[in-house]
């Protein structure tokens, strides 16, 4: 009987709930900078959208699969390189589609008489999963891959469960199989890790064909007994669907294989889809090495240098991939015990909850930098996983009476093995969760059902108990004896809310100080500081520095800031900028320079915080990039020096401030700018003051001085000039250098260079 999916009220409600959560995270995520591989994807897609093809990877350490880059490039082409909302909205819709696909798959994996409740439960869990909502926002390939992969799995299940439908033509019988191959091929062109799983799919198809044939023969008691020749013929017939599946995958993948090999192989080998596999394998093997290994291989930067010989990677990608695989295998042979220990750790990491990870965006949660809704979302997601995995193991050991469980088990074990052998991060668990949710729903719906055998019941409860015991410490309470540097999800959440409480107290004190009640602000600060005796590590250090200045104790403020500098780069940058600002106002410019230019300040380059918190003295001419410009500008990247000039690159939107420079009359701003770009269209900028914009100005790709008339600003008020610019991506070298330096904003969407600005 053909199954049909009904868009009834519960289904529509689940899909609307999924869409609502995926749009809600736009407000709850503490997104401040490019996450993980986002910068690389967006940079390569920008070059692709602007007609350079896949040239970005000519000088990169690896090459990427093309499909997600094409997905991003299409939206950059339509909306521009600053319109990050476009792919995020598209991915929110794709993520809702993934919820629907999970519901369809659940109907085909669940017992026939429980298909609807299992589908609704699994869909509800997917809809409410905070991690899937988060990944829909991030510019990473997981969401697109998941939709294509789930579509391929659904097509495989449709094909497998309709094998015994009589009276169908050959094409009708295998149409879903061909569709599955095409979708899985597209999934491989999104994330190539699926390629080595496809032989297991082919094996599943062959086994299912043989079982279906054997079952059909057993239903015909008058059929002649099997002979060696008939068995061989049956095996051959079972290979036909395998060949069809393989052909449909190859039709999709091989054209890209030919292109990638021709472009990046350079006679050094075949590139099926990408070359990230070799690098990841070598990086995983590198973790087997002792810290004092004779090769001096300690971290990812050393591996990059070994493969590339420097920041830029020249030479054939295929040769670099072969070198990476050779390195990985050699390290495993030389340090088998280290590899075994590392594999065990990665296996635990794959199964347990890891509160860290760039994709979770929890940086600064202990000092109130992560909003409460996001903390709740992370804890909710960890709770779902903690409950769902043991239930899923119970569900997997139940009998559902539907073909497809072997396919799912193969996918789960394959990913766990890959994560353990290479390295495990949070995002590698995402493609497993839909099936965890489906079989967790099966366990709940079949809770009162009779187990098919005593051994299954025992195995199910043992597996569920072991999983719960493995996960529970990382979720509820992590003993320090295991790892003193790690804490449970509940503990981290508690620290996050304590940080928010402290941050709110700090805001109250700052408001009091801003209202001029210095003595009351001091009382509140000292009262709170007694509870948090950690100078320099929280917002109280910044408040004390401001309080001392407000009390007229400038030397005490400088002395305090010297002692309050911390190893946390963001906090250290803020304290140093406060110190530099005070020295600048005291006229001690040389001392201020050496406080503003340390690496802690320039790597963080928090021009927005400086704009909001510093009090720079009035000036008419701003020398941009001279080390003393913090507080006068925002939206510019860290200072650079070239050809004897100090300057900064702007982003798409930047601001300049001339404190107290308003006269009530029209004024003129002069800008020394360079409009260099690697695009075929010239750089254009638009200036605006008090919401009044000038006509767009076209810049030449050389240094030039612009004089732009400005509308009046109230006497004594700050003249704030906003500059909007077209942008471009400089290339892989710039991104690689900034990633290596651990600089914030590793990907720069560059506007124009600014040397100085003068208000007349």
């Amino acid at each position: 009987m053909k199954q049909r999916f009904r868009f009834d009220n519960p289904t529509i409600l689940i899909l609307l709930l999924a869409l609502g959560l995926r749009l809600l995270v736009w407000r709850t995520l503490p997104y401040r900078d490019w996450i993980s591989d986002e910068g690389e994807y967006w940079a390569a897609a920008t070059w692709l959208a602007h007609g350079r093809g896949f040239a970005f990877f000519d000088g990169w350490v690896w090459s990427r699969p093309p499909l997600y880059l094409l997905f991003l490039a299409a939206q950059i082409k339509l909306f521009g390189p600053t319109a990050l909302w476009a792919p995020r909205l598209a991915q929110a819709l794709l993520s809702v589609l993934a919820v629907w696909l999970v519901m369809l798959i659940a109907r085909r994996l669940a017992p026939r008489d429980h298909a609807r409740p299992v589908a609704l439960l699994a869909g509800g869990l997917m809809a409410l999963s905070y991690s899937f909502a988060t990944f829909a926002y991030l510019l990473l390939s997981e969401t697109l891959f998941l939709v294509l992969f789930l579509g391929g799995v659904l097509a495989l299940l449709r094909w497998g469960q309709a094998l015994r439908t009589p009276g169908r033509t050959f094409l009708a019988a295998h149409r879903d199989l061909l569709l599955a191959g095409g979708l899985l091929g597209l999934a491989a062109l999104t994330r190539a890790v699926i390629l080595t799983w496809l032989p297991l799919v082919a094996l599943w198809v062959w086994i299912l064909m043989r079982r279906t044939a054997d079952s059909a023969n057993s239903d015909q008691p008058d059929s002649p007994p099997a002979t060696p020749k008939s068995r061989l013929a049956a095996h051959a017939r079972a290979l036909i669907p395998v060949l069809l599946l393989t052909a449909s995958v190859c039709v999709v993948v091989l054209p890209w294989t030919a292109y990638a090999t021709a472009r990046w192989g350079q006679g050094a080998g075949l590139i099926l889809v990408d070359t990230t596999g070799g690098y990841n394998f070598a990086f995983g093997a590198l973790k087997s090495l002792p810290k004092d290994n004779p090769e001096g291989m300690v971290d990812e930067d050393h591996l990059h240098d070994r493969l590339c010989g420097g920041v830029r990677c020249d030479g054939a990608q295929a040769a670099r991939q072969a070198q990476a695989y050779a390195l990985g295998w050699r390290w495993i042979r030389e340090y088998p015990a280290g590899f075994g220990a590392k594999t065990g750790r990665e296996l635990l990491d794959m199964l347990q909850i890891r509160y860290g990870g760039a994709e979770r965006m929890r940086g600064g949660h202990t000092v109130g930098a992560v909003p409460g809704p996001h903390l709740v979302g992370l804890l909710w997601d960890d709770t779902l996983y903690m409950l769902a995995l043991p239930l899923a193991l119970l569900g997997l050991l139940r009998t559902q009476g539907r073909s497809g469980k072997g396919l799912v088990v193969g996918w789960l074990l394959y990913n766990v093995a890959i994560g353990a052998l290479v390295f495990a991060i949070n995002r590698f668990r995402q493609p497993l969760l839909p099936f965890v949710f489906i079989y967790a729903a099966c366990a709940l719906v079949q809770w009162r059902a009779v187990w098919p055998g005593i051994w299954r019941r025992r195995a199910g409860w043992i597996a569920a108990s072991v999983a719960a015991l493995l996960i529970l410490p990382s979720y509820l309470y992590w003993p320090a004896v295991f790892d003193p540097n790690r804490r449970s999800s509940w503990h981290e959440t508690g620290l996050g809310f304590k940080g928010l409480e402290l941050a709110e107290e700090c805001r109250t004190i700052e408001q009091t100080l801003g209202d001029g009640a210095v003595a009351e602000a001091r009382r509140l600060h000292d009262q709170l500081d007694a509870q948090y005796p950690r100078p320099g590590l929280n917002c109280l250090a910044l408040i004390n520095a401001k309080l001392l200045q407000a009390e007229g104790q400038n030397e005490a403020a400088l002395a305090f800031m010297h002692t309050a500098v911390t190893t946390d780069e963001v906090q250290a940058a803020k304290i140093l900028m406060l110190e530099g600002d005070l020295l600048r106002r005291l006229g001690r410019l040389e001392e201020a320079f050496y406080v503003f230019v340390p690496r802690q300040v320039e790597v963080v380059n928090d021009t927005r915080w400086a704009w909001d918190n510093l009090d720079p003295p009035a000036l008419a001419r701003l020398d941009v990039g001279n080390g003393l410009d913090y507080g006068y500008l925002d939206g510019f990247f860290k200072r650079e020096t070239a050809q004897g000039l100090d300057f900064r690159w702007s982003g798409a939107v930047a601001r300049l401030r001339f404190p107290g420079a308003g006269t009530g009359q029209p004024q003129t701003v002069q800008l020394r700018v360079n409009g260099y770009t690697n695009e075929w269209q010239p750089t254009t900028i638009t200036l605006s003051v008090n919401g009044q914009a000038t006509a767009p100005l076209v810049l030449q790709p050389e240094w030039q001085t612009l004089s732009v008339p400005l509308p009046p600003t109230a006497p004594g008020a700050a003249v704030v000039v906003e500059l909007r610019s077209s942008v471009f991506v400089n290339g892989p070298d710039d991104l690689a250098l900034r990633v290596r330096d651990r600089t914030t904003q590793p990907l720069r969407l560059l506007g124009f260079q600014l040397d100085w600005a003068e208000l007349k």
Side-chain angles (χ1 to χ4, degrees):
M1 181 178 176
K2 194 170 185 178
Q3 295 190 31
R4 295 190 180 277
F5 189 88
R6 293 182 294 123
F7 278 100
D8 52 14
N9 289 338
T11 301
I12 294 172
L13 180 62
I14 287 171
L15 296 179
L16 289 176
L17 185 64
L19 179 60
L21 181 60
R22 281 143 184 79
L23 296 179
L24 180 64
V25 298
W26 290 37
R27 296 184 63 86
T28 63
L29 291 178
Y31 186 89
R32 304 181 187 92
D33 202 354
W34 301 99
I35 298 294
S36 186
D37 299 324
E38 281 189 311
E40 178 194 338
Y41 277 123
W42 196 252
T46 301
W47 274 37
L48 179 60
H50 292 171
R52 293 188 177 89
F54 295 93
F56 182 88
F57 296 107
D58 293 349
W60 197 247
V61 66
W62 53 57
S63 61
R64 287 279 186 185
L67 197 59
Y68 187 62
L69 296 171
L70 291 166
F71 169 80
L72 294 178
Q75 292 168 86
I76 293 171
K77 191 74 174 176
L78 289 172
F79 304 108
T82 60
L84 303 184
W85 61 266
R88 286 169 178 159
L89 179 59
Q91 288 183 173
L93 298 175
L94 285 175
S95 188
V96 175
L97 176 58
V99 174
W100 181 54
L101 290 172
V102 166
M103 297 175 77
L104 294 177
I105 292 171
R107 282 180 169 265
R108 292 188 171 273
L109 292 175
R112 292 183 184 277
D113 54 343
H114 296 306
R116 175 176 163 76
V118 168
L120 293 176
L121 270 173
L125 292 172
M126 281 289 294
L128 293 171
S129 170
Y130 193 69
S131 59
F132 282 111
T134 298
F135 273 97
Y137 183 86
L138 300 179
L139 301 179
L140 298 172
S141 61
E142 271 70 16
T143 300
L144 179 60
F145 168 80
L146 187 65
V147 169
L148 295 169
F149 172 72
L150 291 175
V153 170
L154 177 61
L156 282 172
L157 295 176
R158 283 169 53 94
W159 169 81
Q161 294 176 6
L163 276 176
R164 300 193 65 180
T165 303
R168 296 190 302 166
T169 64
F170 180 83
L171 180 60
H174 297 297
R175 181 175 53 208
D176 285 325
L177 186 66
L178 293 171
L179 175 61
L183 288 171
L184 292 176
L186 291 173
L189 294 181
T190 308
R191 288 190 65 207
V193 68
I194 197 177
L195 278 177
T196 43
W197 177 68
L198 292 180
L200 297 179
V201 178
L203 178 62
W204 177 81
V205 168
W206 183 82
I207 291 173
L208 192 60
M209 283 294 296
R210 292 296 301 123
R211 286 181 177 175
T212 302
D214 292 343
S215 177
N217 290 335
S218 65
D219 292 342
Q220 299 177 8
D222 297 334
S223 60
T227 64
K229 185 175 181 179
S230 65
R231 290 193 187 97
L232 184 61
H235 289 317
R237 286 193 298 273
L239 284 175
I240 293 175
V242 174
L243 295 175
L244 288 175
L245 176 71
T246 304
S248 58
V249 171
C250 289
V251 164
V252 174
V253 172
L254 288 184
W256 172 256
T257 301
Y259 172 87
T261 302
R263 178 163 196 139
W264 297 304
Q266 299 175 17
L270 182 71
I271 298 176
L272 281 175
V273 173
D274 68 353
T275 59
T276 60
Y279 184 92
N280 289 337
F281 179 73
F283 182 58
L286 184 147
K287 295 184 177 183
S288 308
L289 276 61
K291 294 296 183 182
D292 58 348
N293 65 87
E295 298 183 62
M297 299 295 293
V298 177
D299 55 25
E300 199 168 356
D301 289 342
H302 290 90
L303 177 60
H304 185 283
D305 289 345
R306 182 67 171 270
L307 296 175
C308 296
V311 174
R312 179 175 177 81
C313 292
D314 294 314
Q317 291 277 11
R320 191 153 49 247
Q321 177 171 244
Q323 180 188 3
Y325 275 120
L327 277 173
W329 284 119
R330 180 166 66 80
W331 290 336
I332 291 172
R333 289 193 302 269
E334 292 177 356
Y335 301 97
F339 181 74
K342 166 258 171 194
T343 300
R345 292 193 302 269
E346 300 288 357
L347 179 60
L348 284 176
D349 283 350
M350 193 72 183
L351 298 175
Q352 290 182 327
I353 295 167
R354 276 283 180 180
Y355 200 78
E359 298 85 1
R360 288 173 67 96
M361 287 175 280
R362 58 88 177 177
H365 71 294
T366 60
V367 293
V370 175
H374 184 62
L375 293 172
V376 173
L378 293 178
L379 182 62
W380 166 248
D381 210 59
D382 294 340
T383 303
L384 273 187
Y385 177 70
M386 170 69 207
L387 296 174
L389 184 60
L391 285 172
L393 294 173
L394 285 173
L396 283 166
L397 284 160
R398 288 278 193 178
T399 298
Q400 284 81 37
R402 312 293 293 276
S403 61
K405 183 181 289 186
L407 184 68
V408 171
V409 170
W411 175 246
L412 296 175
L413 293 178
Y414 169 79
N415 278 272
V416 170
I418 290 294
L421 293 172
V422 182
F423 56 89
I425 55 177
N426 290 321
R427 59 195 280 201
F428 287 178
R429 194 187 294 154
Q430 291 303 114
L432 310 183
L433 291 179
F435 303 103
V436 170
F437 291 156
I438 288 171
Y439 281 100
C442 285
L444 291 173
V445 171
Q446 294 181 278
W447 192 263
R448 296 182 179 274
V450 177
W451 283 86
I454 188 67
W455 74 269
R456 278 197 181 225
R457 185 178 68 182
R458 288 177 178 171
W461 283 107
I462 289 172
S465 300
V466 170
L469 289 173
L470 282 174
I471 301 171
L472 192 61
S474 61
Y475 172 70
L476 192 59
Y477 174 74
W478 185 264
V481 67
F482 291 171
D483 182 351
N485 298 316
R486 185 173 174 182
R487 295 183 286 259
S488 70
S489 181
W490 269 96
H491 190 176
E492 294 282 14
T493 304
L495 292 176
F497 277 102
K498 285 183 180 179
L500 285 173
E501 183 181 347
L502 174 60
E504 182 59 33
E505 295 275 8
C506 285
R507 280 191 288 272
T508 300
I509 299 173
E510 285 204 86
Q511 181 63 48
T512 304
L513 180 60
D515 293 340
V518 178
E520 176 63 12
R522 166 59 68 189
R523 186 188 68 80
L524 292 173
H525 167 272
D526 292 348
Q527 179 181 336
L528 191 60
D529 191 46
Q531 305 173 34
Y532 297 91
R534 301 177 64 196
L537 295 181
N538 54 51
C539 53
L540 290 173
L542 299 173
I543 291 176
N544 191 48
K546 294 178 180 179
L547 272 170
L548 289 169
Q549 294 178 57
E551 293 165 342
Q553 302 182 59
N554 290 333
E555 293 303 322
L558 293 172
F560 171 77
M561 286 185 279
H562 274 301
T563 62
V565 173
T566 171
T567 55
D568 178 81
E569 284 192 338
V570 175
Q571 182 77 347
K574 293 176 180 178
I575 293 172
L576 286 168
M577 284 192 286
L578 278 179
E579 183 181 357
D581 187 48
L582 176 56
L583 290 167
R584 184 172 55 187
R585 282 188 280 110
L586 294 174
R588 294 154 64 174
L589 298 183
E590 185 175 355
E591 293 177 69
F593 172 81
Y594 287 108
V595 173
F596 273 126
V597 298
R599 184 181 187 279
Q600 296 102 309
V601 177
E602 299 211 323
V603 166
V604 175
N605 191 50
D606 198 344
T607 59
R608 174 62 56 86
W609 188 89
W611 181 277
D612 293 335
N613 289 273
L614 302 190
D615 184 22
L619 50 68
R621 179 187 172 96
L622 173 62
D623 189 355
V624 176
N626 72 341
L628 298 171
D629 54 4
Y630 282 104
Y632 294 107
L633 47 74
D634 180 33
F636 287 85
F637 297 102
K638 76 172 195 173
R639 69 190 190 99
E640 298 180 35
T641 301
Q643 299 177 344
L645 293 177
D646 297 322
F647 61 89
R648 287 180 184 262
W649 278 101
S650 81
V653 180
R655 293 182 292 176
L656 297 173
R657 174 165 57 191
F658 298 92
T663 62
Q665 301 295 322
Q667 294 171 282
T668 299
V669 65
Q670 289 189 331
L671 304 172
R672 183 66 174 171
V673 297
N674 188 335
Y676 167 81
T677 179
N678 59 16
E679 299 292 343
W680 62 275
Q681 291 183 327
T683 301
T684 60
I685 64 171
T686 302
L687 282 69
S688 64
V689 173
N690 301 325
Q692 301 181 48
T694 66
L697 303 173
V698 178
L699 302 186
Q700 300 300 315
E702 58 188 17
W703 286 106
Q704 63 220 266
T705 301
L706 302 179
S707 291
V708 183
L710 302 178
T713 300
V719 177
V720 177
V721 182
E722 183 180 86
L723 306 105
R724 293 182 175 270
S725 170
S726 58
V727 295
F728 69 98
V729 173
N730 200 24
D733 295 353
D734 184 62
L735 178 59
L737 184 61
R738 294 176 67 81
V739 168
R740 174 180 290 257
D741 287 345
R742 309 294 188 266
T743 306
T744 57
Q745 305 166 314
L747 174 62
R748 301 192 297 176
L749 300 179
L750 299 174
F752 58 91
Q753 294 173 336
L754 179 62
D755 179 25
W756 52 260
E758 186 172 1
L759 187 66
K760 295 186 175 181

